[in-house]
Amino acid sequence: MEEYNAKELEPKWQTYWAQNNFFKTKMDKSREKYYVLEMFPYPSGKLHMGHMRVYSIGDVLARFLKMRGYNVLHPMGWDAFGLPAENAAIQHGADPAEWTASNIAAMKEQQNALGLSYDWDREVTTCSPEYYRWNQWLFLLFYKNGLVYKKKAAVNWCPSCNTVLANEQVVDGGCWRCGSEVAWKELEQWFLKITAYADRLLDDLKLLEGWPERVKIMQENWIGRSTGTDIVFTVKETGDELRIFTTRPDTLFGVTYMVLAPEHPLLDKLIAGNPQEEEVREFVRQMRRESEITRTSAETEKVGLFTGAHAINPANGEVVPILVGNYVLMSYGTGAVMGVPAHDQRDFLFAQKYNLDIRVVVNSPEKDLTAAPLTEAYEGSGVLVNSGKFDGIPNEDAMKAITDWLVEQGKGKYQVRYRLRDWLISRQRYWGTPIPIIYCDNCGPAAVPEEDLPVMLPVGLSLTGRRSPLVDSADFLHTKCPRCGGGARRETDTMDTFFCSSWYFMRYADPKQDKAPFSKEKVDYWLPVDQYIGGIEHAVLHLLYSRFFTKFLYDQGLVKFQEPFQRLLAQGMVYKDGAKMSKSKGNVVTPDEIIDRYGADTGRLFILFAAPPEKDLDWSERGVEGCHRFLRRVWRLFIQNLDLFDRVGKATDKLPSLGQEEKELQRAMHAAIKKINADIEERFNFNTAISAIMELVNAAYSYFNETTPERRESFSPLLCRVLDTIIILLAPFAPHISEELWHRCGHEESVHQQKWPDFDPRALAVEEAEVVIQVNGKVRGRILVPVDSTEDELLERARSNERVRPYLEEKEIVKTITVPGKLVNIVVR
RNA sequence: GCCGAAGUGGCGGAAUAGGCAGACGCACUUGACUCAAAAUCAAGCGGUCUCUGAUCGUGUGGGUUCGAGUCCCACCUUCGGCACCA
């Protein structure tokens, strides 16, 4: 018998699909669309198992939905700007553009070898001028709307990548890409005002019903909204206003000191001429050397220094010392805080250390806190004391009462603050989208006029690794001022690559458009993405930025949707031997190896069968072999029974009425269809969908073992239907073997163009069902009963069952519970 | 410390609305075929015991219920996120 040979048949069908333009997608307003998207990769040149997993998931969905009748958009592209290309250039003298292009070609070949159903006509490559031109266009749109600004700020600097990083790109104090410890640098940088959208980014998380809860919570934490009050204190010595933010305005009368961030603008003036001046200056210098990350880590001890100045509490006129402290951040709130040691544990420890006053202003309902010195801060609720006219008010009410009172006097206002900071988008690197800004000594910074876009990234520069070659490229640097026409120079910073990936999913709708980023009509039809699939590592990077872009484009009237991704699937990681695959551990298995040894179908099947998509997966060579064995088993089932298919059409009209075995097989088929539909559509549980196909194949084998060839021949139309259905059900998971067997069975057109089957509830209906009999909740017997039995009949049969009877003897039946068609429970005493 | 997810056979995992715990697969055991092996096919496969049956069993301890892997309370362990955000 002919053996299953994946190596031979897989390339054959890949070519067939490509030549017949199987995966080309056209806009068709008469049909319902479905947009399936996997996060596009960085073209590193090599596909790893994580890629294989995410693409396999997406491909099953795309193929399944296509067979369900949707007009499916399933594109692929390249997040092609970024550091590795540039580093390869520095280390091996490669040309970043060529290096990237050859990596793309290599990866695309691997993707095609996996049998992925992409519409390659829509391929998007972010490092091509046709794409990054629209990055620049969008940058200018943000700029015109006041959402891009340049400011000098202390920013995260990765010494190894030689560039700045956004807050989201600092992970545990290190660079997200290379892990190097991030330093602190004062630089003038471009920022995107994502904080202007903080509220909407937070509130609209509620709309994302198809997102995993954990991702939404991560974004919520990252945005970190707190509502409170801004309160204005007065500096006693200078009369300056000192503004702080607090979420506990009810404790205002308990303030015993104030603390400023080392970078606070008032500090210089406050210490001038004081005995503490030099000491404070030294402290500030020291703080500026440390990054915000190390300075504010939980392990770092709080340090404070008296400035010599004092503040006047607007509530009671009290004079309290002003300190400077390492733990106060200039980048959050106003860069200054009030200290209430009695009601904040951090303040309490700080006050103990520096011997500052501790005054109770919220009394505990359980214990009078004013009686003895506190041993820890009281952060709970209670009634106000030592708070003038607010004494006796519950502290929750006092928050509003005190704030209202401050507002009346012009000493405060309600305020909402966020942990989220503006997105730093400039990078001091070469391989990225040039920021379209021109600096003129006479006119200042100016936007590059739209008709001059794209600002081309020059090629053929030599890269030294010391600094961006754009800085040294006279051709690039020197230009004319768009306002006065005089000599001017270009911005040499490029954009963070996350800028590119924040809208690429819209470009797929209209990838060749050269008048705009995309045509409204096409984006209106295809977007939003119905199902997005990717790694959890982008929970607050790409996924937050893309939501921000979408909301901005919505405000500009360019798109009609406010959220880019309807449903999100965060797929788990691929492990082997309990550890992440890595070269150093020597536990790497590559998609290439698997395709070579077993074929793409086996690899896809294993990766989908071994675990549900959102869970981590442990790679198992034995498991892969098991899946390969299953495909061979399917292969044999068909190849050995091809003669059945020859008879189709001849005997259809005189099919004898079905025997018990045929009915069972038919029921097994409909049960499998029902389960698989639910598993794919509602739950993404591909692992159980595949096990349902296995069960159906097992049922078919059982039938073939139990019946004679003559009998099978007389039922061949039914058997053909069952076998056809097996191929169709298998097609999204293992597309090549399915196509091969489909054609071998005598079909002309592709299996992937078949209509997906629906189950027939009538075929699923059974005449008799097995019912479990319990006595006091324990299974004591099973009976086969007609499904239309009444409750009384059921009970009677249960009671008289010989296995059950002994448990009922000399007992009183207290109660019975029946679940129709399933179970009877008799409660006895 | 705070927030979240998870904990089921030797292993990956299943049990979708509180109703037969362990589907499907792997590994293993036995048998058939074979000179033999591989492949394939068939059967078995949670623990314990007095083994045609009984009993225990879903991280631990309690609870709700006729009935709990599933719901509630407390705890343990593992993983992930946040971590002086005022």
Side-chain angles (χ1 to χ4, degrees), chain A residues 47-65:
Chain A
L47 231 54
H48 55 64
M49 278 301 166
H51 291 125
M52 179 160 177
R53 189 172 191 194
V54 70
Y55 303 147
S56 298
I57 293 166
D59 201 52
V60 169
L61 276 178
R63 287 180 184 266
F64 169 77
L65 292 162

PDB file of all heavy atoms in Angstrom, chain A residues 47-65:
ATOM      1  N   LEU A  47      12.219  31.297  11.703  1.00  0.00           N
ATOM      2  CA  LEU A  47      10.957  31.046  12.392  1.00  0.00           C
ATOM      3  C   LEU A  47      11.232  30.169  13.613  1.00  0.00           C
ATOM      4  O   LEU A  47      11.970  29.205  13.535  1.00  0.00           O
ATOM      5  CB  LEU A  47      10.048  30.280  11.431  1.00  0.00           C
ATOM      6  CG  LEU A  47       8.633  30.786  11.182  1.00  0.00           C
ATOM      7  CD1 LEU A  47       8.666  32.231  10.740  1.00  0.00           C
ATOM      8  CD2 LEU A  47       7.972  29.935  10.119  1.00  0.00           C
ATOM      9  N   HIS A  48      10.636  30.505  14.740  1.00  0.00           N
ATOM     10  CA  HIS A  48      10.763  29.608  15.895  1.00  0.00           C
ATOM     11  C   HIS A  48       9.395  29.034  16.240  1.00  0.00           C
ATOM     12  O   HIS A  48       8.391  29.345  15.594  1.00  0.00           O
ATOM     13  CB  HIS A  48      11.413  30.325  17.084  1.00  0.00           C
ATOM     14  CG  HIS A  48      10.734  31.591  17.496  1.00  0.00           C
ATOM     15  ND1 HIS A  48       9.446  31.610  17.992  1.00  0.00           N
ATOM     16  CD2 HIS A  48      11.150  32.875  17.482  1.00  0.00           C
ATOM     17  CE1 HIS A  48       9.117  32.853  18.270  1.00  0.00           C
ATOM     18  NE2 HIS A  48      10.119  33.637  17.962  1.00  0.00           N
ATOM     19  N   MET A  49       9.368  28.197  17.265  1.00  0.00           N
ATOM     20  CA  MET A  49       8.133  27.480  17.587  1.00  0.00           C
ATOM     21  C   MET A  49       7.008  28.414  18.029  1.00  0.00           C
ATOM     22  O   MET A  49       5.846  28.120  17.821  1.00  0.00           O
ATOM     23  CB  MET A  49       8.391  26.429  18.670  1.00  0.00           C
ATOM     24  CG  MET A  49       8.966  25.168  18.108  1.00  0.00           C
ATOM     25  SD  MET A  49       7.853  24.441  16.889  1.00  0.00           S
ATOM     26  CE  MET A  49       8.964  23.268  16.137  1.00  0.00           C
ATOM     27  N   GLY A  50       7.386  29.526  18.655  1.00  0.00           N
ATOM     28  CA  GLY A  50       6.375  30.504  19.046  1.00  0.00           C
ATOM     29  C   GLY A  50       5.637  31.023  17.817  1.00  0.00           C
ATOM     30  O   GLY A  50       4.418  31.146  17.812  1.00  0.00           O
ATOM     31  N   HIS A  51       6.407  31.316  16.741  1.00  0.00           N
ATOM     32  CA  HIS A  51       5.793  31.742  15.483  1.00  0.00           C
ATOM     33  C   HIS A  51       4.881  30.637  14.956  1.00  0.00           C
ATOM     34  O   HIS A  51       3.741  30.879  14.586  1.00  0.00           O
ATOM     35  CB  HIS A  51       6.854  31.995  14.400  1.00  0.00           C
ATOM     36  CG  HIS A  51       7.716  33.201  14.657  1.00  0.00           C
ATOM     37  ND1 HIS A  51       9.085  33.124  14.699  1.00  0.00           N
ATOM     38  CD2 HIS A  51       7.401  34.497  14.868  1.00  0.00           C
ATOM     39  CE1 HIS A  51       9.581  34.333  14.925  1.00  0.00           C
ATOM     40  NE2 HIS A  51       8.578  35.185  15.030  1.00  0.00           N
ATOM     41  N   MET A  52       5.430  29.425  14.935  1.00  0.00           N
ATOM     42  CA  MET A  52       4.663  28.322  14.367  1.00  0.00           C
ATOM     43  C   MET A  52       3.342  28.168  15.109  1.00  0.00           C
ATOM     44  O   MET A  52       2.315  27.888  14.492  1.00  0.00           O
ATOM     45  CB  MET A  52       5.462  27.020  14.457  1.00  0.00           C
ATOM     46  CG  MET A  52       4.681  25.851  13.904  1.00  0.00           C
ATOM     47  SD  MET A  52       5.738  24.485  13.456  1.00  0.00           S
ATOM     48  CE  MET A  52       4.510  23.290  12.941  1.00  0.00           C
ATOM     49  N   ARG A  53       3.387  28.386  16.407  1.00  0.00           N
ATOM     50  CA  ARG A  53       2.166  28.215  17.190  1.00  0.00           C
ATOM     51  C   ARG A  53       1.141  29.293  16.830  1.00  0.00           C
ATOM     52  O   ARG A  53      -0.010  28.985  16.545  1.00  0.00           O
ATOM     53  CB  ARG A  53       2.494  28.276  18.681  1.00  0.00           C
ATOM     54  CG  ARG A  53       1.287  27.877  19.512  1.00  0.00           C
ATOM     55  CD  ARG A  53       1.617  27.732  20.978  1.00  0.00           C
ATOM     56  NE  ARG A  53       0.490  27.093  21.664  1.00  0.00           N
ATOM     57  CZ  ARG A  53       0.351  27.062  22.969  1.00  0.00           C
ATOM     58  NH1 ARG A  53       1.270  27.606  23.739  1.00  0.00           N
ATOM     59  NH2 ARG A  53      -0.689  26.468  23.508  1.00  0.00           N
ATOM     60  N   VAL A  54       1.573  30.542  16.826  1.00  0.00           N
ATOM     61  CA  VAL A  54       0.614  31.624  16.581  1.00  0.00           C
ATOM     62  C   VAL A  54       0.050  31.534  15.162  1.00  0.00           C
ATOM     63  O   VAL A  54      -1.139  31.744  14.939  1.00  0.00           O
ATOM     64  CB  VAL A  54       1.216  33.002  16.919  1.00  0.00           C
ATOM     65  CG1 VAL A  54       2.293  33.417  15.949  1.00  0.00           C
ATOM     66  CG2 VAL A  54       0.137  34.060  17.001  1.00  0.00           C
ATOM     67  N   TYR A  55       0.895  31.147  14.191  1.00  0.00           N
ATOM     68  CA  TYR A  55       0.399  31.063  12.817  1.00  0.00           C
ATOM     69  C   TYR A  55      -0.551  29.871  12.636  1.00  0.00           C
ATOM     70  O   TYR A  55      -1.502  29.939  11.860  1.00  0.00           O
ATOM     71  CB  TYR A  55       1.558  30.939  11.820  1.00  0.00           C
ATOM     72  CG  TYR A  55       2.547  32.072  11.908  1.00  0.00           C
ATOM     73  CD1 TYR A  55       3.905  31.881  11.654  1.00  0.00           C
ATOM     74  CD2 TYR A  55       2.133  33.358  12.275  1.00  0.00           C
ATOM     75  CE1 TYR A  55       4.811  32.920  11.751  1.00  0.00           C
ATOM     76  CE2 TYR A  55       3.042  34.396  12.388  1.00  0.00           C
ATOM     77  CZ  TYR A  55       4.381  34.176  12.125  1.00  0.00           C
ATOM     78  OH  TYR A  55       5.277  35.197  12.239  1.00  0.00           O
ATOM     79  N   SER A  56      -0.233  28.791  13.335  1.00  0.00           N
ATOM     80  CA  SER A  56      -1.108  27.617  13.226  1.00  0.00           C
ATOM     81  C   SER A  56      -2.499  27.949  13.752  1.00  0.00           C
ATOM     82  O   SER A  56      -3.511  27.575  13.156  1.00  0.00           O
ATOM     83  CB  SER A  56      -0.527  26.435  14.015  1.00  0.00           C
ATOM     84  OG  SER A  56       0.730  26.059  13.484  1.00  0.00           O
ATOM     85  N   ILE A  57      -2.540  28.643  14.866  1.00  0.00           N
ATOM     86  CA  ILE A  57      -3.825  29.024  15.453  1.00  0.00           C
ATOM     87  C   ILE A  57      -4.612  29.898  14.469  1.00  0.00           C
ATOM     88  O   ILE A  57      -5.786  29.653  14.180  1.00  0.00           O
ATOM     89  CB  ILE A  57      -3.612  29.775  16.784  1.00  0.00           C
ATOM     90  CG1 ILE A  57      -3.012  28.839  17.843  1.00  0.00           C
ATOM     91  CG2 ILE A  57      -4.924  30.381  17.287  1.00  0.00           C
ATOM     92  CD1 ILE A  57      -2.466  29.556  19.070  1.00  0.00           C
ATOM     93  N   GLY A  58      -3.927  30.915  13.942  1.00  0.00           N
ATOM     94  CA  GLY A  58      -4.586  31.840  13.019  1.00  0.00           C
ATOM     95  C   GLY A  58      -5.044  31.132  11.751  1.00  0.00           C
ATOM     96  O   GLY A  58      -6.131  31.398  11.232  1.00  0.00           O
ATOM     97  N   ASP A  59      -4.231  30.222  11.271  1.00  0.00           N
ATOM     98  CA  ASP A  59      -4.556  29.566  10.019  1.00  0.00           C
ATOM     99  C   ASP A  59      -5.768  28.643  10.155  1.00  0.00           C
ATOM    100  O   ASP A  59      -6.609  28.584   9.251  1.00  0.00           O
ATOM    101  CB  ASP A  59      -3.350  28.769   9.498  1.00  0.00           C
ATOM    102  CG  ASP A  59      -3.466  28.500   8.011  1.00  0.00           C
ATOM    103  OD1 ASP A  59      -3.685  29.472   7.262  1.00  0.00           O
ATOM    104  OD2 ASP A  59      -3.378  27.333   7.598  1.00  0.00           O
ATOM    105  N   VAL A  60      -5.856  27.946  11.268  1.00  0.00           N
ATOM    106  CA  VAL A  60      -7.032  27.105  11.498  1.00  0.00           C
ATOM    107  C   VAL A  60      -8.287  27.975  11.480  1.00  0.00           C
ATOM    108  O   VAL A  60      -9.276  27.647  10.823  1.00  0.00           O
ATOM    109  CB  VAL A  60      -6.932  26.351  12.845  1.00  0.00           C
ATOM    110  CG1 VAL A  60      -8.260  25.711  13.192  1.00  0.00           C
ATOM    111  CG2 VAL A  60      -5.843  25.299  12.775  1.00  0.00           C
ATOM    112  N   LEU A  61      -8.222  29.082  12.186  1.00  0.00           N
ATOM    113  CA  LEU A  61      -9.389  29.966  12.233  1.00  0.00           C
ATOM    114  C   LEU A  61      -9.740  30.495  10.855  1.00  0.00           C
ATOM    115  O   LEU A  61     -10.903  30.492  10.452  1.00  0.00           O
ATOM    116  CB  LEU A  61      -9.109  31.154  13.159  1.00  0.00           C
ATOM    117  CG  LEU A  61      -9.345  30.906  14.634  1.00  0.00           C
ATOM    118  CD1 LEU A  61      -8.975  32.148  15.417  1.00  0.00           C
ATOM    119  CD2 LEU A  61     -10.810  30.552  14.865  1.00  0.00           C
ATOM    120  N   ALA A  62      -8.718  30.951  10.119  1.00  0.00           N
ATOM    121  CA  ALA A  62      -8.970  31.543   8.808  1.00  0.00           C
ATOM    122  C   ALA A  62      -9.591  30.519   7.867  1.00  0.00           C
ATOM    123  O   ALA A  62     -10.584  30.790   7.190  1.00  0.00           O
ATOM    124  CB  ALA A  62      -7.674  32.099   8.217  1.00  0.00           C
ATOM    125  N   ARG A  63      -9.015  29.334   7.833  1.00  0.00           N
ATOM    126  CA  ARG A  63      -9.531  28.296   6.927  1.00  0.00           C
ATOM    127  C   ARG A  63     -10.933  27.849   7.351  1.00  0.00           C
ATOM    128  O   ARG A  63     -11.807  27.626   6.517  1.00  0.00           O
ATOM    129  CB  ARG A  63      -8.580  27.097   6.896  1.00  0.00           C
ATOM    130  CG  ARG A  63      -7.288  27.382   6.135  1.00  0.00           C
ATOM    131  CD  ARG A  63      -6.400  26.138   6.143  1.00  0.00           C
ATOM    132  NE  ARG A  63      -5.103  26.381   5.517  1.00  0.00           N
ATOM    133  CZ  ARG A  63      -4.814  26.129   4.239  1.00  0.00           C
ATOM    134  NH1 ARG A  63      -5.749  25.647   3.450  1.00  0.00           N
ATOM    135  NH2 ARG A  63      -3.620  26.368   3.751  1.00  0.00           N
ATOM    136  N   PHE A  64     -11.119  27.722   8.662  1.00  0.00           N
ATOM    137  CA  PHE A  64     -12.424  27.308   9.167  1.00  0.00           C
ATOM    138  C   PHE A  64     -13.498  28.342   8.796  1.00  0.00           C
ATOM    139  O   PHE A  64     -14.561  28.004   8.278  1.00  0.00           O
ATOM    140  CB  PHE A  64     -12.354  27.142  10.692  1.00  0.00           C
ATOM    141  CG  PHE A  64     -13.685  26.964  11.368  1.00  0.00           C
ATOM    142  CD1 PHE A  64     -14.338  25.748  11.327  1.00  0.00           C
ATOM    143  CD2 PHE A  64     -14.298  28.021  12.043  1.00  0.00           C
ATOM    144  CE1 PHE A  64     -15.574  25.570  11.952  1.00  0.00           C
ATOM    145  CE2 PHE A  64     -15.527  27.859  12.664  1.00  0.00           C
ATOM    146  CZ  PHE A  64     -16.171  26.636  12.611  1.00  0.00           C
ATOM    147  N   LEU A  65     -13.199  29.614   9.046  1.00  0.00           N
ATOM    148  CA  LEU A  65     -14.195  30.657   8.801  1.00  0.00           C
ATOM    149  C   LEU A  65     -14.492  30.815   7.314  1.00  0.00           C
ATOM    150  O   LEU A  65     -15.614  31.122   6.921  1.00  0.00           O
ATOM    151  CB  LEU A  65     -13.729  31.979   9.409  1.00  0.00           C
ATOM    152  CG  LEU A  65     -13.716  31.947  10.946  1.00  0.00           C
ATOM    153  CD1 LEU A  65     -12.857  33.047  11.512  1.00  0.00           C
ATOM    154  CD2 LEU A  65     -15.138  32.041  11.492  1.00  0.00           C
TER     155      LEU A  65
END
